[in-house]
Amino acid sequence: MLRHLIFFEWKFYGRKISFYVMLLSFLGFGILVGTSAGIAFPNIKYNSPYAINFILGLFSLASLFPIVIMASQSLLREQDNHFEQILYATPITIRNYFVSRFLLVFGMAVFTFLLFIIGYMLGHFIKMDNSEKWGIFHFNYYLNSFLVIVIPNIFLCTVIVCCTAWFSKNKMLISLSGLGIYVLYMVVSIFSNSPLFAGASPVSDNAMSISAKLDPFGMVAFFEQTQYWTALQKNTMVLQLSGNLLFNRIVIILLALTIFYTVYKRFQFKNSNKPKKKVETINELIDRKYVYTKTITKSNGKKYFILTIVSFLKIDLKSTIKSIPFVLLVAITLFIVGMEMYGAIVGGIRLPQYFVTTTLMINTILATIPSILLLAMLFYGSELVWKSKSVNFLSIENSTPYSNSALFISKFGMVSIISLILIFFSIVLGVLFQAIFQYPIIDWSAYLSLFYFIGLPASLCGLVIITFQYISKNKYIALSVCAVFLVLTNSSLGKTFGFKHPLLRFANFLPDAFSDINGLGYYPKVFSVTMLYSLSFAILLSVLAILFLNKSVLKTKRKSFTILILPFIVMLLSGIYMMTKSGGVSKEILMNWQQHYEEKYNPYKNKPQPSITDVKASIDLFPEENSYKVEGTYILVNKTQEEISEVLINTSNEITWNFITSSQLTLVKKDEEFGQYLFKTKQKLLANDSISMSFKFEYKIEPLKGHQSFNAIVENGVFMRISNYFPSVGYNLDNEIEDKLERKKRELPLQESLTKVDAPLANPYNYEFINLDAVVSTSINQTAISVGELINNYSKSNRNYFHYRTHDIPFRFAVSSAKYAIQKLNYHDIAIEIFYDPKHHQNISHLINSIKKTLQYCETHFGEYPYKTVRFAEISSFTRGFAATAYPATIFINETQFHLNLSQGEGHDIINELAGHELSHQWWGNAQLNPDYREGSGVLTETLAQYTQLMLYKNEYGREKMLEMVRLYQNMYDSEKAFSGEEPLYKSNPNNTNAIYNKGLIKMYELYLLIGEEKINLALKSLLTKHKFPLQPATTIDLIKELKMFTKKENYTKMDDIFKN
Amino acid sequence: MNSLKIKNLTKTYDNGVKALGNITFEIENGMFGLLGPNGAGKSTLMKTIVGLQQPDNGSILFNNEDIVKNPTFIKKQLGYLPQDFGVYQNISAYDLLNHLAILKGLNDKGARKEQILALLEKTNLFEQKNKAVSTFSGGMRQRFGVAQALLGSPSIIIVDEPTAGLDPEERNRFNNLLSEIGENIIVILSTHLVEDVRNLCTQMAIINKGELLLTGNPEQFIAEINGKVWKKYIDKNKLLEYQNQYKIISTQLQAGKLSIKVFDNENPLNGFTQTEADLEDVYFTTLQKPQ
């Protein structure tokens, strides 16, 4: 009997083309994922058990697709065909019916996923080569994660979806149960801070262990088991069925079985036609008030057209918003967005609570809702088109003379309304959160703008879906085509498949880059252009669809095709505009450029070149125009002992160069491609001879290209490390390809390895320090900040000018500008100045306090503060990549790490940490202890700053809190070390942030336990006295030597352990 | 005077079923009954007239306009009640009628409301006008169907097996309604209930297996065969015997006894008595005529 039932089911599906399409698409999808190698982890091979587990676990959710389709087609088929009463009258047993249908759905889901895995393996075979990125093929790796991760996941999903089907007998609820599982997965990922979500902050082991046990998809257990594995282990070891993973898998299977058994027990063959509430016919009314008369109709003209659109809209709206699925959709949306908002506010254990600004809420909405909307559009775009047919009302509607265009427009209107409703609820939630957390400033216009920035792209996606549905005439084929189309052109996943170019992107949503200081900056410009392009594409497509719908038009009025001309022209023009303005350069082209640069200019690598000693510049900022202009002069001095006759000047291609000239130099060659200016000296430059050179350049953000993070000339909250864009002298090592594999592939020689810790140093050492004299001007309503001391400031021709000067600093300077509020006070002889956004006043006094304490501590223990001013300037989040960064006398602090609610949440006092760390860089780094770039040099700047931060934290909050911080850093270190590698601190690569920051802090704590704060500080002071500019720079060997001077002999081995293990 | 002229209409479905084979007839104002057994092609014919389906060949002229090429022409003056229809969830009778009224082109809000309320009264749905149609009983839903077919000012109304599934009382009420509105316009009533045609229609056609077997006036058809129908009560077991011997047009159980009717120009004797011919006899004799 069972066999017969399954065989019958097979006969049913074997005839469906869409069924084979689904199978093939899974195979193809697998190949795509396999060849694109999916997500790259540093040091982890593409076909390692870790990567395979990750990919298969991630995509096991994709089996929800076949499960939902199979369940809704197969489980409710009898009901659909009104066959149930006949079926229930047959002697078929519950067990056979139940089990056969379940097995079918489960079997098909497993089968389709197997096809995915086969495709995935095929993809690996296609791409596999002998490089380090690939290991040996082991079938076992795939099998292991299939059995351990995938099968239980599919089993659980099938049980949930099937049981929902049997319980509810409602197709929409089946789809929603699928969506619900997806949501559950998201929630678990968020709570467990899964690496799936970038930027997740670390969670405690305890929390991880709990979520590892409970995560229904086993991914947390997988991350938990492997979090401390080395790269080697991740490359070779399969998952062990033990610990939380074993517990998790057993619990999941038991849970699924329990649900299944319960439903099975309670399931009875019941006629699903619940007795309908019959409305009684009441009276055979005699006294009639109304008289039926024929009423003249007019079924053409504008009024009729608009009335029909509105009427279709009203009917769809009424029947949709009262339906259970829609209510559930809203509930799910509110749930996800609410969870995300709460998560964004609370932060995690690293950071305190954020202030619940409109910015925070909007960024959360921008990050969350597009994917929900896409799913909603896919669902409703398909449902609405077929609704009239599926409820069997089409024949009545179709007997009226409405126009297909009106129907089409109304469906588009309806999906737009659905997206607007969801956006509306998200906004309400955001406002509620702001009210609950009592943040006083609600930016209504920013909230309202979301209807445009989210609603428009969502509606366009809906429009394309509707169009596909009308063209294809088959709901599921159109749905699949649309899903593929949108995944490729709209999701970030599509980018990994090569759909990167702006012309290949459709209706992209605004990035979640709203800034509290600068709002959306120039993004609306980008958005509007790309939307114009997408809109004209969508209109073109839909007008075509409408024309084909009205087949009679095709035959009679070829003229109607002229209506296509306008959208076509708009699409063409916007496309051409985007093509020319977006400077997307492929990785391949960039690397070719790098290779050619290296080959061409390598000869200059070891040629003696003069050093820049003085920089004089006027920097004019035009924040409102996203542009700046720089005019400056250099004094170049031959600090070598050799004669110099050729000077190579290197400029950035990002910048427009007006001129680079010098009366003492003759331009020999200007190489535009690489931004190189080769000069000959008019007279040979002998040792200590100097020449001057002047230059002028300008820059303007091209919105479609975007800006580099350290070149953010935005409307408010400008930050530029502008020295990056000044001309530099000689061969530029930064232009070389760094990736070893890539160099090998291109047959480039190995790059010079990092200077050894004990390599000899030139004596006297050339620090390449400069004297800087900069006049920075900005708009009249803004204040410009740079480095060093402010000599003068004035206003002229409606602009503000600030004259900064400083001597003997590294060639590394920055500017910021914003509508700042300013707080100033003096601490002893030092002026403390805070420049901040007026809305962000909450932490100012705390910051000032922390600055005072840091100054006091550092001056007491390490030496005098080298400047007259300590300046903190807040910058907008349009610059990313650091919380705060220290320059001589000035520290720039990012708004995202500044506007925090220190009194709430379990996180640390980030302001205290930042002030301690960054301010101490005025001793460790910058113009004092400035080691040359070599092994261990990062320890002398970052690790020592971390130490100072830790001590200040201890002094403020006590030893308990200090221990908490050490544990936090231990956690961060452990979870990153598989990727960063384990290096002894004294030889660590200065780029290895995990070593110099995280490990550094832990080791300094160990040192603190070993010899105590006082001794460490004495040693550091001694180190500074002996090695600060202009004396010979220090190495970690010097550091250890100094520390040993203050350590008992018997502790030497322990101390060596600290630095050398 | 409205006219509908159907000429050489054929339709064969993709699966090879011949639904319409060369159908030709003309109708004018008044009620026109389309009789035929299940699967005769009635619904196909109706859907084709309404424009929901395209014929393979042939033409349909409504008031001399070719509506195969221009279906919108008939849709502008059409009331259609399909054999089986569903409705959107959660939409009240009033709202749904309002929607359809707009689609039909009742652009004036006041007039629209007036007519909808009148129709709701006429179909005895006034009290339930704010209840969702999806919760209606079969009869109520069918009356709703009639109401929507009458929206606007239709000059042709097509109803496909409207009384199927209705109890006798509902059916009666429905038929009254139809005859009330069926003046001065064309009403095509498709049914397999001979009695309905007899009661309502001035013109009729019988189709079977896609072929038109007969068109004309029902009274005339009855008069034509009157005096040629003979009836006898027989033993159930002897049916086969009689079938071989006579041209039986119909059999009917009456109080446990089997009554058979035969069509014959002469008295077949053997206990048969002459009986008054009715439309049912016309129907059955037509179906049994060798084609």
Side-chain angles (χ1 to χ4, degrees), chain A residues 276-285 287-300 303-304 307-308 311-312 314-316 318-319 322-323 387-388 391-402 552, chain B residues 50 52 72 75-76 78 80 82 84-91 95-96 99-100 102-107 111-112 114-115 117-119 121-122 124 126-128 131 134-135 137 140 143 148 150 152-154 173 185:
Chain A
K276 278 188 184 134
K277 261 197 284 171
K278 284 207 175 172
V279 187
E280 289 299 314
T281 32
I282 309 168
N283 46 6
E284 207 65 17
L285 220 74
D287 54 332
R288 293 191 162 162
K289 281 192 285 184
Y290 301 93
V291 183
Y292 171 72
T293 45
K294 290 190 170 181
T295 311
I296 297 305
T297 58
K298 182 172 183 294
S299 51
N300 48 30
K303 186 178 180 192
Y304 171 72
L307 274 175
T308 48
S311 186
F312 272 119
K314 269 191 190 160
I315 289 289
D316 275 338
K318 275 187 183 161
S319 63
K322 284 189 202 160
S323 66
K387 190 167 172 182
S388 184
V391 300
N392 199 12
F393 193 60
L394 186 67
S395 47
I396 288 184
E397 269 181 354
N398 257 359
S399 69
T400 64
Y402 71 86
S552 52
Chain B
V50 173
L52 297 175
T72 316
K75 285 182 182 181
K76 286 183 176 179
L78 170 72
Y80 174 56
D84 174 36
F85 70 95
V87 290
Y88 298 122
Q89 295 285 313
N90 307 320
I91 305 288
D95 287 345
L96 205 53
H99 171 58
L100 291 168
I102 291 171
L103 295 191
K104 286 192 174 184
L106 273 88
N107 297 339
R112 190 165 70 227
E114 183 80 24
Q115 199 192 34
L117 291 174
L119 278 170
E121 257 188 4
K122 208 179 182 68
N124 276 327
F126 194 83
E127 298 290 319
Q128 287 83 38
K131 301 216 162 84
S134 50
T135 62
S137 70
M140 290 166 73
R143 276 184 277 146
Q148 64 82 22
L150 294 178
S153 63
R173 202 184 289 145
I185 60 170

Side-chain angles (χ1 to χ4, degrees), chain B residues 150-162:
Chain B
L150 294 178
L151 285 166
S153 63
S155 37
I156 175 166
I157 290 180
I158 296 176
V159 288
D160 196 353
E161 303 210 4

Side-chain angles (χ1 to χ4, degrees), chain A residues 747-988:
Chain A
E747 296 178 346
L748 292 167
L750 283 177
Q751 274 186 308
E752 273 175 31
S753 53
L754 186 61
T755 313
K756 293 278 172 240
V757 63
D758 52 0
L761 194 65
N763 196 349
Y765 174 74
N766 178 7
Y767 272 96
E768 304 267 4
F769 275 14
I770 57 160
N771 301 320
L772 176 70
D773 186 305
V775 177
V776 188
S777 77
T778 186
S779 304
I780 189 75
N781 55 1
Q782 300 204 358
T783 309
I785 310 289
S786 190
V787 305
E789 304 299 347
L790 181 69
I791 306 297
N792 188 15
N793 69 309
Y794 51 92
S795 301
K796 202 175 73 186
S797 5
N798 212 25
R799 289 179 65 74
N800 286 337
Y801 288 80
F802 302 86
H803 188 178
Y804 290 88
R805 188 184 292 158
T806 179
H807 56 85
D808 295 321
I809 60 161
F811 190 88
R812 179 179 171 275
F813 45 90
V815 292
S816 79
S817 171
K819 295 167 191 153
Y820 284 125
I822 304 166
Q823 189 133 323
K824 292 184 184 180
L825 76 158
N826 283 330
Y827 170 77
H828 301 308
D829 291 334
I830 303 167
I832 298 176
E833 304 176 350
I834 315 291
F835 299 83
Y836 58 96
D837 186 273
K839 296 191 292 290
H840 299 171
H841 53 81
Q842 289 85 343
N843 296 327
I844 301 301
S845 58
H846 182 59
L847 175 64
I848 290 173
N849 255 330
S850 305
I851 292 172
K852 282 184 188 168
K853 282 178 182 154
T854 308
L855 282 174
Q856 190 200 9
Y857 187 88
C858 291
E859 288 209 308
T860 311
H861 296 292
F862 309 133
E864 213 174 295
Y865 178 68
Y867 306 101
K868 291 183 196 141
T869 317
V870 172
R871 202 179 286 119
F872 271 73
E874 194 184 8
I875 60 165
S876 83
S877 59
F878 273 65
T879 295
R880 293 183 180 207
F882 59 79
T885 179
Y887 289 83
T890 304
I891 287 151
F892 298 99
I893 185 163
N894 198 300
E895 59 170 319
T896 56
Q897 305 291 311
F898 184 61
H899 195 45
L900 292 156
N901 191 352
L902 296 175
S903 59
Q904 295 295 322
E906 51 176 331
H908 292 230
D909 177 353
I910 189 88
I911 299 291
N912 180 298
E913 284 182 46
L914 279 179
H917 182 104
E918 299 301 335
L919 195 49
S920 76
H921 271 312
Q922 303 295 351
W923 285 263
W924 320 125
N926 285 313
Q928 295 213 53
L929 194 69
N930 193 318
D932 68 319
Y933 192 82
R934 63 166 66 204
E935 288 177 351
S937 59
V939 172
L940 296 168
T941 54
E942 296 305 341
T943 306
L944 293 186
Q946 288 287 76
Y947 162 75
T948 318
Q949 166 195 330
L950 187 68
M951 289 303 115
L952 284 161
Y953 205 79
K954 181 204 70 178
N955 294 344
E956 183 76 23
Y957 293 104
R959 292 182 66 116
E960 255 324 292
K961 283 277 176 187
M962 168 172 73
L963 258 172
E964 257 178 42
M965 188 189 271
V966 174
R967 270 198 295 269
L968 172 70
Y969 277 90
Q970 180 79 52
N971 251 331
M972 295 200 286
Y973 174 64
D974 287 339
S975 60
E976 284 170 39
K977 72 182 173 193
F979 302 133
S980 68
E982 296 175 63
E983 286 184 308
L985 209 49
Y986 87 112
K987 287 206 294 193
S988 58

Side-chain angles (χ1 to χ4, degrees), chain A residues 440-512:
Chain A
I441 309 168
I442 294 177
D443 185 346
W444 292 104
S445 63
Y447 273 127
L448 283 181
S449 71
L450 291 182
F451 285 112
Y452 170 60
F453 290 121
I454 303 177
L456 181 59
S459 307
L460 289 182
C461 292
L463 181 57
V464 166
I465 293 159
I466 291 170
T467 307
F468 274 117
Q469 289 292 357
Y470 274 116
I471 293 175
S472 96
K473 308 264 176 202
N474 178 314
K475 186 172 167 184
Y476 290 102
I477 288 179
L479 190 63
S480 318
V481 172
C482 285
V484 171
F485 173 77
L486 290 177
V487 162
L488 290 179
T489 62
N490 190 285
S491 78
S492 53
L493 194 65
K495 288 186 183 168
T496 60
F497 293 138
F499 282 72
K500 260 188 230 156
H501 194 277
L503 291 182
L504 295 176
R505 309 295 296 164
F506 175 76
N508 259 28
F509 292 88
L510 201 71
D512 52 332

